[in-house]
Amino acid sequence: MAVDKQESVKSLFTAQSAKVDTNRGDAYYEKLYAQCRARLDELKELAPLNNRMDFKESIEDEGLDRRDFLKWASATTAMLMLPASFTPLVADAAVMMNRVPVVWIELSDCAGNTEALIRSDGPKIDEIILDIISLEFNETLLAASGHQAEKQLEDAIEHFKGKYLLFVEGAVPMGMDGQYGTIGASGETFHDHLQRIAKDAAAIVAVGSCATFGGIPAAAPNPTDAKGVMDVVKGKPIINIPACPANPSNMVGVILHYVLTGSIPELDSLLRPKFAFGYRIHDNCERRAHFDAGEYVEEWGDEGAKNNFCLYKVGCKGPMTFNNCSIIRYNEGVNWPVGVGRGCIGCSEPDFWDKYAYERPMANANIKAPTGGVEKTVDEFGLGLLTAAGVGIAIHAAASAVAGKKESEKEA
Amino acid sequence: MAENNATVENNTTVEETKEEVAPVEKKGGKKHIIVDPITRIEGHLRIEAVIDENNTIVDAFSSSTMFRGMETIMKGRDPRDCGLMAMRICGVCTGTHYQRSIEAVEDAFNVTIPKNARIVRNLIQGALYMHDHLVHFYHLHALDFVDVIDATKADPKKTAEEAVKWAGVSGHKPYISAEADFKAVQDRLVKFANEGRLGIFGNGYWGNKNYHLTPEQNLIGVAHYLKALDIQRDLAKMQAIFGGKNPHPQSIVVGGVTCVQDIKNPARIALFKQLLKDGREFIKGAYLPDVYMAGTMYAKEATDSDATYTATKGKGVGGTGGGILNYMSYGDFKLDDTGFYNAEDLFPSGIVMGGDVSKVLEVDSQKITEDVAHAWYEGTGKPEHPYVGTTIPKYTGLDKRDDGYAYLKTEEKYSWIKAPLYNGEKMEVGPLARMVVGYAKGDKRITKYVANFLKRSGLPITVLFSTVGRTAGRAIETELMSDVMMDWVDELAKNVANGDDSTWTEFDFDEVSVDCKGAGMAEAPRGALGHWMVIKDGKVTNYQAIVPSTWNAGPRDEKGQLGAYEAALIGTKVADPEQPLEIIRTIHSFDPCIACAVHVMDTKGKELAVYKVDPTCAF
């Protein structure tokens, strides 16, 4: 795993188009390092909140190779866009991740993000969900049902008041007074359920495209008036990890960052962590050279497809999509949608089902596209693409800078 | 230990139970239990059960409490785009709705996919079966059989001997056999249990007397639960090799698949094969032995013909959790390239009624109707074929009472899932249905695996008609799949080596999409799944799916016929009414997928559009 990833990470820092405020300067990092060190020392003083076993012990118990673990820590450090000198801190933070309780609730969802979480590719740790993250509540995995399940959730909220990270999977249906989804013996609506549990969370992580931007239930015509968490919950720090499903590396990355710094990672204007969503798929795409050379797959299974040509003309939305799939891939780096010859459907972008998720370039869409779209021919669009995307990046970067500034003001 | 906190109400006001399903005298002291949320499933499900003074379930109601309205979302889209959206029906059986949707378009366009694409799709879906069944057994179901805390009392040496014994019954080497390995797992568990909070194991039903495994057997279960977390990652990787990622793969398109470079790369094929081999080792050395173990230790329930729904009608057939005993399979996994509905199937289609394996009926899709007497929709007063039915939502809500709980209004409408019928009868679908139908049809391969299981376990075939049998059927199918996939990988490699690298069949979209309709009727891991699509001028004018959990989790019909979940619960004896262990054990044996249970409605509760074809499902 490590080799592929480290190569990818290296290419991240060398690619021309990937220079989005990566290096923040020595002074910044020195200050951050000291802050992280202090935070970790403070955490070390605490017993594990949930008395879970130490990750470190589990490494020793399993006789795992310490080098593998450090390799993972080093790749993760790079993924979090921190200098290599932070690697020991990241390793320490991983050992102390069990100081952060996680409550995970499901609303209008398909459980795809829970499934993604259990594919998490930490170092060779089978028990990531049991040892690394202290998962206090997750409906898909919880032993107890019914009232005992509700009690488990209430206990966790009470016990870790103000300290737990709340992961939310699924959209919030707002139509018909929220009755499109109810949970528990009292028939509480998803909306009320979310508000009640959000109240005492340290921060909320909206995981997957439904919880972030509404996702599939919110696709036109949005029959249940589904919304993302950030449109419903106010007055709490919210981190969005979109994609369908979200990449488990990014979920773990957010938790690690929280352990490491005690604060949420720097976010872009859509509340996405910049370490994961600071670049377009296109920037680090393995087929990028073919795009630049004008070599395209024209239809499925053609000679271009057999030669791994660029997938833009069969609908790849990598140029419009901010995510780190082209760097970290999926399922321990084994493959990803561009690798498998299909292309990107833009699943980490708002309204992607209506804007991007089809197998033609934007111009040939033939979709209802209630949110609009670029109505140009493919050739026109191809010519204007880099410029358009460049403008996109500029807007994105500016918005991110504003968001980042606000964040650092808060921290100061 | 968990306190007694179940939502229990002394039943003085609860609805009269129907005579045919409640043979027990209606004296006082009945209890009405709400179990919501049912955890360890996909989606949101509520079960309500009525328990008599002997702690036997005399009535049960299944209700889906969430819906998203995806059929409406499909309407007006390009049919080629629907597969990716349909896949988001479920993130657990990921990829199966995707392929059914694509097949519906291919059926409409009359496109036959190339050999490579057929095999790749079989491998993607086969990997899903292995993954899904394994995760279901260990992570969603095992804790209904395995008492995690009791495993702390086990003797690791005896545990190792026990593991060898059950692997022997299965005819394989145990996946974990060293005393030291069991000791290590136990040490971790002891520490975990002694230190306070139990996380996802918190507040479980530990110590309930309807847990029947010995401490050593429980320790085997826990060790395999943890190991399976690792194995499932690798099984998911198999799907990602040809699918791009898991969950939600992305390489299937109308006309074929896109992963041409992956099938041409020998390293990919080799990796797939290696992961398959490793996964198969676990399935044969841990999963099957554990099912033999559970099957034996829970044989009393599995063969208790008094504790069945059929017993309420006279003579009991099967055992606890059996239910309606009508099994249906649409058939799936195409074994040749003669075209979608012409090809021979790995799992044949058919229907077995009343657990009578001496007869098999052919499936005629025209005989499928849906009934909304107890579902939150307006009806015409009789069950309608999907092609002529209407969908007029009628949400009547829950009965919120002074005790703070909201009850289902079971005399009227109580679920977002409709009640599908085949020829006027309720059906059960799933791995057990596939095995029963295959066995009854005399399919050589399936008969071999089923007979082998029964011989080795020393149990009669009627043991299959039970909660345990449903779980056994799934395990039998998983072993069969892991064996047959080896041949498929070789077939694919050989075909590519012979120079065939075709992955897509060309078609003229504008020409074929003018006016057509098609169906993708095949099998998901959870059972019979159909997607139907009507296309006009290149756009979807109607979309419909009837998913496995619609069949299994549906409510009563107008005649009062119980849904498969409901019937399966009747007759079950509950050790402690305040701990719904037996209820969730039986419900989990179906592997519920309830996000699939969501109908169309707009925000004002009105029908969004009148469809020529009724959007019957459920998602």
Side-chain angles (χ1 to χ4, degrees), chain B residues 95-104 107 121-122 125 129 328-334 340-341 343 345-350 363 365 368 429-431 434 477 518-532 545-549 551:
Chain B
T96 186
H97 290 282
Y98 182 25
Q99 189 168 319
R100 294 297 87 86
S101 180
I102 298 276
E103 284 162 356
D107 183 40
R121 287 185 187 182
N122 280 352
Q125 300 300 334
Y129 271 57
M328 178 168 74
S329 162
Y330 291 162
D332 201 7
F333 288 94
K334 310 301 164 198
F340 189 67
Y341 288 112
D345 283 322
L346 175 70
F347 301 131
S349 71
V363 176
S365 66
I368 296 170
V429 298
R434 287 191 285 266
E477 179 174 273
M521 285 175 71
E523 292 286 313
R526 283 161 186 77
L529 168 64
H531 282 235
W532 287 265
I546 300 180
V547 308
S549 295
W551 289 101

Side-chain angles (χ1 to χ4, degrees), chain A residues 10 17 35 52 83 89 205 213-214 231 273 359:
Chain A
K10 209 190 292 169
S17 53
Q35 184 195 327
R52 186 82 72 246
L89 290 187
V205 184
F213 309 128
D231 293 330
E359 56 178 76

Side-chain angles (χ1 to χ4, degrees), chain B residues 239-483:
Chain B
Q239 200 184 46
I241 287 172
F242 296 123
K245 65 187 174 96
N246 166 289
H248 297 334
Q250 210 157 305
S251 64
I252 303 172
V253 290
V254 175
V257 294
T258 64
C259 53
V260 58
Q261 68 155 332
D262 299 297
I263 64 168
K264 289 177 72 174
N265 182 346
R268 302 301 252 174
I269 303 272
L271 176 60
F272 190 96
K273 225 172 150 172
Q274 187 56 47
L275 294 169
L276 174 58
K277 260 187 196 156
D278 294 347
R280 192 167 71 163
E281 284 297 301
F282 188 79
I283 285 161
K284 289 175 187 278
Y287 183 6
L288 280 161
D290 287 354
V291 170
Y292 282 112
M293 181 172 86
T296 306
M297 299 306 286
Y298 287 82
K300 189 163 159 281
E301 280 93 334
T303 53
D304 182 1
S305 57
D306 289 337
T308 61
Y309 174 57
T310 46
T312 67
K313 297 179 160 179
K315 194 172 180 296
V317 181
T320 304
I324 51 179
L325 308 188
N326 300 334
Y327 301 100
M328 178 168 74
S329 162
Y330 291 162
D332 201 7
F333 288 94
K334 310 301 164 198
L335 300 178
D336 59 57
D337 298 293
T338 51
F340 189 67
Y341 288 112
N342 303 321
E344 191 202 336
D345 283 322
L346 175 70
F347 301 131
S349 71
I351 292 169
V352 166
M353 297 296 292
D356 177 4
V357 291
S358 68
K359 279 198 295 273
V360 186
L361 307 172
E362 289 305 317
V363 176
D364 172 2
S365 66
Q366 295 307 308
K367 290 186 176 164
I368 296 170
T369 60
E370 287 202 296
D371 178 292
V372 296
H374 290 280
W376 281 313
Y377 305 93
E378 298 270 13
T380 56
K382 62 180 170 65
E384 297 277 17
H385 187 273
Y387 280 90
V388 297
T390 58
T391 294
I392 305 169
K394 189 183 178 186
Y395 184 64
T396 52
L398 303 173
D399 177 15
K400 297 206 176 192
R401 296 194 195 152
D402 294 342
D403 59 11
Y405 301 121
Y407 293 80
L408 297 175
K409 298 176 186 172
T410 53
E411 286 301 294
E412 34 180 294
K413 294 173 185 291
Y414 62 89
S415 180
W416 284 111
I417 306 179
K418 284 186 181 181
L421 300 166
Y422 182 86
N423 204 20
E425 305 258 12
K426 292 278 197 166
M427 293 290 146
E428 175 179 334
V429 298
L432 175 61
R434 287 191 285 266
M435 293 302 104
V436 169
V437 167
Y439 183 89
K441 262 198 157 173
D443 178 274
K444 276 192 188 140
R445 195 184 282 110
I446 292 173
T447 303
K448 189 181 110 190
Y449 280 85
V450 172
N452 179 53
F453 181 88
L454 294 174
K455 189 171 149 230
R456 288 179 175 278
S457 63
L459 294 165
I461 185 156
T462 50
V463 78
L464 292 177
F465 308 139
S466 69
T467 294
V468 169
R470 219 169 268 121
T471 300
R474 192 173 289 108
I476 296 167
E477 179 174 273
T478 313
E479 185 185 24
L480 185 158
M481 186 59 83
S482 71
D483 286 341

Side-chain angles (χ1 to χ4, degrees), chain A residues 96-363:
Chain A
M96 279 185 284
M97 268 165 76
N98 58 4
R99 266 76 166 174
V100 177
V102 171
V103 171
W104 182 300
I105 61 169
E106 295 179 46
L107 306 174
S108 282
D109 74 321
C110 74
N113 291 286
T114 296
E115 285 283 335
L117 173 71
I118 68 170
R119 311 289 187 276
S120 183
D121 61 328
K124 286 186 177 176
I125 303 295
D126 320 336
E127 300 88 350
I128 187 159
I129 56 163
L130 299 177
D131 297 347
I132 300 184
I133 299 170
S134 57
L135 194 59
E136 287 298 316
F137 184 84
N138 173 297
E139 267 190 49
T140 306
L141 296 169
L142 195 73
S145 271
H147 197 85
Q148 285 88 353
E150 293 193 88
K151 183 151 193 309
Q152 171 72 11
L153 177 58
E154 279 156 26
D155 278 356
I157 295 171
E158 188 56 36
H159 196 83
F160 300 119
K161 215 167 203 164
K163 289 177 184 162
Y164 58 90
L165 282 180
L166 173 61
F167 276 66
V168 182
E169 174 175 10
V172 192
M174 300 295 284
M176 202 171 67
D177 296 328
Q179 294 178 96
Y180 285 104
T182 64
I183 191 162
S186 68
E188 187 175 43
T189 64
F190 287 172
H191 172 264
D192 294 350
H193 186 63
L194 169 65
Q195 296 288 13
R196 181 165 62 86
I197 297 158
K199 194 159 66 71
D200 292 316
I204 299 172
V205 184
V207 61
S209 292
C210 295
T212 51
F213 309 128
I216 190 86
N222 194 353
T224 60
D225 193 20
K227 288 193 177 352
V229 173
M230 66 177 174
D231 293 330
V232 174
V233 176
K234 302 293 170 195
K236 281 280 166 191
I238 294 174
I239 304 157
N240 281 335
I241 313 179
C244 190
N247 197 316
S249 300
N250 294 336
M251 303 181 200
V252 175
V254 163
I255 299 174
L256 259 180
H257 190 282
Y258 180 73
V259 173
L260 194 57
T261 64
S263 62
I264 62 176
E266 194 175 344
L267 306 175
D268 71 4
S269 58
L270 293 167
L271 307 184
R272 301 178 293 195
K274 284 167 83 174
F275 71 75
F277 300 91
Y279 305 93
R280 296 170 307 166
I281 302 280
H282 191 60
D283 295 335
N284 299 288
C285 181
E286 65 200 21
R287 300 190 185 211
R288 175 61 183 267
H290 294 293
F291 175 87
D292 294 342
E295 294 170 337
Y296 296 103
V297 175
E298 302 284 344
E299 60 183 26
W300 305 123
D302 68 3
E303 280 309 306
K306 287 167 193 166
N307 288 291
N308 302 341
F309 282 2
C310 173
L311 296 161
Y312 173 69
K313 285 192 175 179
V314 284
C316 181
K317 306 302 185 298
M320 301 84 179
T321 306
F322 288 83
N323 204 345
N324 55 359
C325 313
S326 47
I327 302 166
I328 60 175
R329 301 173 166 212
Y330 288 89
N331 302 88
E332 302 178 51
V334 80
N335 215 339
W336 66 300
V338 168
V340 83
R342 172 55 183 264
C344 166
I345 59 169
C347 73
S348 56
E349 295 297 319
D351 305 322
F352 76 98
W353 288 114
D354 299 330
K355 278 158 64 180
Y356 295 149
Y358 43 84
E359 56 178 76
R360 279 94 42 218
M362 303 282 278

Side-chain angles (χ1 to χ4, degrees), chain B residues 26 32 37 112 117 127 178 182 215 295 353 366 405 436 445 488 504 611:
Chain B
K26 275 174 272 168
H32 187 129
T112 297
F182 287 114
M353 297 296 292
Q366 295 307 308
Y405 301 121
V436 169
R445 195 184 282 110
W488 294 346
W504 188 66
Y611 300 144

Side-chain angles (χ1 to χ4, degrees), chain B residues 35 118 127 131 165 173 175 207 215 230 240 246 284 300 314 412 422 433 477:
Chain B
V35 191
R118 172 182 62 81
H131 179 274
K165 175 181 146 194
K173 278 191 301 200
Y175 194 86
D230 194 26
N246 166 289
K284 289 175 187 278
K300 189 163 159 281
E412 34 180 294
Y422 182 86
E477 179 174 273

